Amino acid sequence: MKKMMLGNEAAARGLYEAGVKVVSSYPGTPSTEITEFAAKYDEIYCEWAPNEKVATEVAFGASLRGVRSACAMKHVGLNVAADPLFTLSYTGVNGGLVLFVADDPAMHSSQNEQDSRHYAVAAKVPMLEPSDSVETKEFVKEAYEISEKYDTPVIVRMCTRIAHCQNVVELEDRKEIPVPEYEKQPQKYIMSPANAVRRHPFVEERTKKLSEFGETSPLNRIEKGSSNEIGIICAGTCYQYVKEVFGDKVFVLKLGLINPLPERLIRDFAASVEKVYVIEELDGIIEQHLNKLGVPCVGKELFPPVGEFNQSTIRAAFGLPQPKSVSSDTPVPVRPPVMCAGCPHRGLFYVLSKNKITTLGDIGCYTLGSAAPLSALDSTLCMGASVSGIHGFNKAGGADSEEKTVCVIGDSTFMHSGMTGLVNIAYNGSNSTVIILDNSITGMTGHQQNPTTGYNIKGEPAAAVDLEELCRAIGIKRVRVVDPYDLKQCEDAVKEELAVKEPSVIISRRPCMLLKYVKPKPALKINPEKCVSCKMCMKLGCPAISIKDKKAFIDPTQCVGCAVCGQLCKVGAIEV
Amino acid sequence: METKNVMIVGVGGQGSLLASKLLGSILTDEGYDVKVSEVHGMSQRGGSVVTYVRFGDKVYSPVVSTGEADYIVSFEKIEAARYAAWLKDGGRIVVNIQQIDPMPVITGAAEYPEGILEELKSKGIFVDEIDALSMASDAGSSKAVNIVLMGRLAKYFDIGKEKWLAAIEKLVKPQFVEINKKAFEIGYSS
């Protein structure tokens, strides 16, 4: 049977066909759907873990017990999971273990453009990179064979244009892998120094064997072209762009195993062509390998280390003609993403913005609160950094800063890595005010459950973390809950908690408007007789409110009746 | 057959993913090699979104670059202008004349440009304008703008109407099938 599949769905299908039994992940664009699709197979136990480190360690535990397991994350998630990864390289696996890491060149939905291939090199684990959905499924299955044959975790590198591109995939049957009896192997799995010193040489030896494997594996292949003037080495999406432009006109070395890289294959390929080009998005990792081998090539001087490529990038680099195009001369205003109409974060951000409070932000939908007109945020670094950061900010700034600074973090991000920062605030005593934006879901990645929501990945009831009790248990005595649709309540809470000389947590609680169980109220209307065009309501940056004929106008198709704007209107012009 | 390119552009939340899925599914059933590229995450929150649908004998690149699109289906007026440079010489734009103000316009930092479709036409670009929002409302739901536009696009394709309707039945939730089929018919016969 054939099916159109996103790369991420094909990855999940690969897990299914490979007989994988356990998948644990934390959501992150563009990797999220791998786990969501895997969860549709009853044969695979799937879960959302609180963060990528936990998820990777769950996958390790499953592997230790002898079953095939996996974990999917976005590129920055691997920073969080790097700790287990580097030592997993030493322990190797019992059941096959595959990590998916999805890079995001051009940062469609990310805070940086890091290149995950560095991790494969640094942790000395093999990395495969598919170039479409078909290869994704094949490579996942091959990854498990490699993992078990070479006793190593394997990383499958995805990127936005593979993860979120659909093409037709041929479905095959699942191969059930019997679960072996558990056998204790302390020298392999207890990475105390005495054991680790014996495992490190194994890792080095394994890399040599994998490099040798790459010389002849069909994962790496040479496609001969009609002319050998140009020879291009590439992988993943770049392979597709090269074929789009050159078809069968040039020689291509298409790499599927991108770590470790082969030597003889590259030398032989280079010897068969007049000039070698290395085309890779982000960093020049393959190019550096060629430099090390002493094989002359053209790489980053033509293909920049920033952003995403496409066929046009390739044509430009080779001086080929571009298709003719006509563009508009009128400047078109940008259309950045915004917080939705009725977003519960908006009311709180308005209060912070109005009171000119310094606000350290975090990763989630609420990063959008940085945009005008709210302009509510001062920083966004990485998951959890708002809570740890405010402590440092206040320690540095003293009482003056403690009175005017808060941090904001979502419920899911707080569970991911905000908690430990809060422990630090309590333990090392800064009078910091932490605001947890509890919208009862992991929002930005598309509504995944998390440990605070009371449901698991399949939507079944699950234990729910009680945020108030958790914060108290950590040592925060002042914990209060506010409704972000109630501006006065928010403002009072923020002012009071900033004034007190002890750490406090404000939980701003209201479910995301996009959740199915949240029923919108009737749209509000502006009474043009009463509206005095003061534009107070415009300060919210609500996409449903605009100015039409000099009066405020509420778009009835967008308004969900949250009534936050009504609290700003001094003349009562906003009506039900 | 040389690869053909369709871009579906609009504002996050307008249903471009269903539109691209519908088109991808029909083209696959017609026997083409098809790639559909989407953008998820940040860009869906009311931002400008673009989906690429490519089909032919063998499709390599998942994306369309400037000067390559045979068709641009724009769910909003200025989005058509934003991506006009992607249109190939002789390509066609199908555009919903709906105006959705982006945040810089709402805040007053920018103006919504007037007469932008006329400007595109004056440059010799084929622009097919429809009021898809009204048509969708006539069909029973203002959310069916995406399917109205696919109905309009279908007029340019040599694929029988019944195949599109069958694909709608296959892809849309049962309770919305009738509205969407009606929306398609209205777009197709407009």
Side-chain angles (χ1 to χ4, degrees):
Chain A
M1 193 185 133
K2 289 184 175 199
K3 189 169 184 256
M4 278 288 272
M5 282 185 162
L6 280 178
N8 282 348
E9 185 177 2
R13 181 70 196 188
L15 294 174
Y16 168 79
E17 291 178 5
V20 169
K21 285 197 166 67
V22 174
V23 177
S24 181
S25 307
Y26 183 81
T29 311
S31 72
T32 311
E33 301 83 5
I34 296 174
T35 309
E36 288 183 321
F37 279 112
K40 292 183 195 289
Y41 297 106
D42 289 337
E43 293 85 347
I44 308 177
Y45 167 77
C46 286
E47 65 177 26
W48 291 126
N51 67 34
E52 296 86 354
K53 172 170 147 62
V54 172
T56 302
E57 291 157 357
V58 169
F60 159 72
S63 163
L64 179 65
R65 185 54 192 86
V67 313
R68 288 185 166 185
S69 64
C71 174
M73 65 201 83
K74 68 183 293 168
H75 60 338
V76 288
L78 189 53
N79 300 336
V80 180
D83 197 2
L85 172 68
F86 276 72
T87 308
L88 261 173
S89 172
Y90 281 34
T91 63
V93 302
N94 192 13
L97 197 166
V98 170
L99 303 181
F100 293 91
V101 180
D103 283 5
D104 191 15
M107 295 176 276
H108 297 280
S109 199
S110 300
Q111 67 269 41
N112 77 23
E113 212 171 22
Q114 71 187 47
D115 189 328
S116 297
R117 293 178 297 167
H118 291 291
Y119 274 107
V121 176
K124 303 179 181 190
V125 297
M127 183 180 249
L128 306 183
E129 182 169 7
S131 67
D132 61 16
S133 297
V134 174
E135 275 192 357
T136 300
K137 184 166 83 71
E138 282 171 15
F139 281 19
V140 170
K141 290 161 79 172
E142 179 65 17
Y144 281 98
E145 299 301 323
I146 293 171
S147 176
E148 287 167 1
K149 184 175 177 194
Y150 292 91
D151 190 10
T152 178
V154 176
I155 302 176
V156 174
R157 183 196 192 213
M158 305 288 283
C159 74
T160 305
R161 295 302 179 189
I162 304 299
H164 288 162
C165 176
Q166 301 182 41
N167 61 298
V168 170
V169 176
E170 176 84 44
L171 306 187
E172 294 158 282
D173 292 334
R174 177 174 167 94
K175 181 176 130 191
E176 283 298 344
I177 314 278
V179 182
E181 286 294 314
Y182 177 67
E183 187 194 334
K184 187 167 174 170
Q185 293 175 270
Q187 287 167 339
K188 184 169 184 306
Y189 290 108
I190 300 177
M191 280 303 96
S192 59
N195 291 334
V197 290
R198 289 191 207 102
R199 291 298 290 181
H200 188 186
F202 163 80
V203 170
E204 298 303 328
E205 201 51 39
R206 181 181 72 200
T207 299
K208 280 185 201 152
K209 284 182 185 159
L210 281 161
S211 181
E212 191 55 39
F213 166 71
E215 303 288 359
T216 54
S217 164
L219 288 166
N220 299 330
R221 65 168 188 265
I222 291 172
E223 296 179 5
K224 289 186 178 165
S226 52
S227 156
N228 72 343
E229 274 176 46
I230 294 172
I232 297 172
I233 303 178
C234 55
T237 46
C238 290
Y239 165 76
Q240 304 291 1
Y241 304 141
V242 165
K243 293 296 283 188
E244 182 76 31
V245 171
F246 290 109
D248 298 328
K249 292 192 193 103
V250 299
F251 275 51
V252 175
L253 169 54
K254 197 258 184 208
L255 297 170
L257 179 66
I258 55 168
N259 188 65
L261 289 164
E263 290 188 21
R264 287 197 312 278
L265 186 62
I266 287 174
R267 287 187 200 283
D268 292 350
F269 177 75
S272 72
V273 298
E274 287 177 23
K275 192 165 184 180
V276 177
Y277 293 83
V278 176
I279 305 183
E280 51 193 325
E281 284 176 329
L282 304 179
D283 298 334
I285 292 173
I286 301 172
E287 183 181 1
Q288 283 164 19
H289 179 72
L290 265 70
N291 292 345
K292 205 171 74 184
L293 297 182
V295 174
C297 67
V298 177
K300 285 295 147 193
E301 62 194 271
L302 274 186
F303 301 95
V306 293
E308 222 178 26
F309 296 170
N310 55 36
Q311 47 272 35
S312 177
T313 319
I314 312 291
R315 286 192 291 258
F318 286 92
L320 299 169
Q322 299 281 11
K324 201 177 125 192
S325 79
V326 179
S327 56
S328 154
D329 298 326
T330 312
V332 178
V334 293
R335 190 186 295 278
V338 291
M339 290 192 295
C340 310
C343 175
H345 303 322
R346 181 174 285 107
L348 185 95
F349 278 157
Y350 172 76
V351 166
L352 298 176
S353 175
K354 178 190 159 198
N355 290 285
K356 300 190 169 48
I357 292 166
T358 301
T359 303
L360 279 74
D362 224 294
I363 306 283
C365 285
Y366 45 94
T367 309
L368 298 171
S370 61
L374 290 166
S375 308
L377 298 182
D378 288 72
S379 70
T380 297
L381 183 66
C382 64
M383 298 284 283
S386 65
V387 187
S388 337
I390 191 176
H391 178 76
F393 193 84
N394 286 343
K395 284 291 176 190
D400 181 51
S401 133
E402 287 173 347
E403 285 162 14
K404 314 189 275 224
T405 308
V406 301
C407 73
V408 292
I409 181 165
D411 47 324
S412 188
T413 310
F414 183 73
M415 295 315 299
H416 179 284
S417 48
M419 293 197 285
T420 41
L422 190 64
V423 169
N424 193 44
I425 287 174
Y427 173 54
N428 286 312
S430 62
N431 295 336
S432 296
T433 302
V434 174
I435 301 176
I436 301 175
L437 304 167
D438 179 8
N439 65 349
S440 311
I441 203 72
T442 312
M444 182 57 91
T445 45
H447 284 185
Q448 288 73 36
Q449 302 295 342
N450 70 54
T452 69
T453 64
Y455 295 95
N456 66 18
I457 192 171
K458 293 202 172 218
E460 300 153 347
V465 171
D466 182 326
L467 283 173
E468 293 92 308
E469 286 303 313
L470 173 64
C471 295
R472 287 190 192 103
I474 281 173
I476 308 295
K477 295 196 184 72
R478 295 186 65 92
V479 180
R480 62 198 285 181
V481 179
V482 297
D483 178 357
Y485 278 2
D486 185 334
L487 295 182
K488 179 163 187 320
Q489 199 186 32
C490 288
E491 187 154 14
D492 289 349
V494 168
K495 284 182 172 169
E496 283 167 29
E497 296 313 323
L498 282 172
V500 297
K501 302 293 176 209
E502 64 176 298
S504 46
V505 170
I506 301 170
I507 300 169
S508 170
R509 179 170 288 149
R510 190 169 263 278
C512 173
M513 254 322 295
L514 299 178
L515 283 165
K516 284 207 177 85
Y517 66 82
V518 179
K519 296 292 170 215
K521 289 187 184 157
L524 302 174
K525 294 190 208 64
I526 304 280
N527 182 338
E529 303 288 309
K530 289 188 185 170
C531 178
V532 293
S533 311
C534 70
K535 297 190 180 171
M536 271 304 288
C537 54
M538 300 296 291
K539 294 192 174 183
L540 286 170
C542 175
I545 311 178
S546 57
I547 299 288
K548 290 239 160 88
D549 302 325
K550 299 199 172 147
K551 302 274 181 182
F553 170 78
I554 295 178
D555 175 359
T557 65
Q558 288 202 64
C559 177
V560 293
C562 78
V564 170
C565 55
Q567 297 166 53
L568 291 180
C569 183
K570 295 193 169 72
V571 294
I574 299 175
E575 299 171 350
V576 180
Chain B
M1 184 193 100
E2 197 187 326
T3 299
K4 295 272 185 196
N5 302 310
V6 181
M7 283 169 73
I8 299 173
V9 304
V11 179
Q14 280 191 302
S16 60
L17 287 189
L18 176 63
S20 61
K21 203 170 173 183
L22 177 67
L23 185 55
S25 164
I26 286 164
L27 293 167
T28 304
D29 289 347
E30 289 292 299
Y32 295 111
D33 185 30
V34 179
K35 279 188 177 168
V36 179
S37 272
E38 312 164 354
V39 167
H40 299 208
M42 188 72 117
S43 322
Q44 282 175 294
R45 301 282 178 271
S48 173
V49 290
V50 51
T51 302
Y52 306 103
V53 179
R54 311 193 70 219
F55 63 102
D57 294 336
K58 172 71 190 163
V59 177
Y60 289 108
S61 171
V63 298
V64 176
S65 59
T66 49
E68 291 184 343
D70 293 275
Y71 297 94
I72 294 177
V73 183
S74 181
F75 287 27
E76 200 271 352
K77 205 163 44 177
I78 56 168
E79 295 310 311
R82 190 187 310 286
Y83 294 102
W86 272 255
L87 201 66
K88 82 161 45 150
D89 199 11
R92 290 173 169 149
I93 295 179
V94 175
V95 57
N96 175 20
I97 54 165
Q98 189 181 355
Q99 169 173 344
I100 301 174
D101 289 347
M103 193 48 71
V105 171
I106 290 177
T107 61
E111 276 189 30
Y112 195 97
E114 295 294 328
I116 199 137
L117 296 180
E118 287 64 33
E119 188 204 328
L120 295 180
K121 283 188 248 175
S122 73
K123 287 173 182 279
I125 295 176
F126 180 97
V127 180
D128 179 8
E129 300 167 53
I130 61 166
D131 182 357
L133 183 61
S134 301
M135 293 176 182
S137 300
D138 291 347
S141 168
S142 58
K143 294 209 168 88
V145 161
N146 53 356
I147 303 300
V148 170
L149 285 159
M150 295 319 281
R152 186 71 166 212
L153 176 72
K155 292 173 75 170
Y156 299 105
F157 279 68
D158 194 17
I159 298 173
K161 188 174 77 176
E162 65 290 346
K163 289 183 180 171
W164 292 82
L165 293 172
I168 289 171
E169 261 180 48
K170 196 171 74 180
L171 293 173
V172 173
K173 282 188 187 153
Q175 65 266 39
F176 302 121
V177 164
E178 279 317 307
I179 285 180
N180 280 300
K181 281 167 83 172
K182 206 170 159 194
F184 182 87
E185 293 272 11
I186 292 175
Y188 192 82
S189 57
S190 63

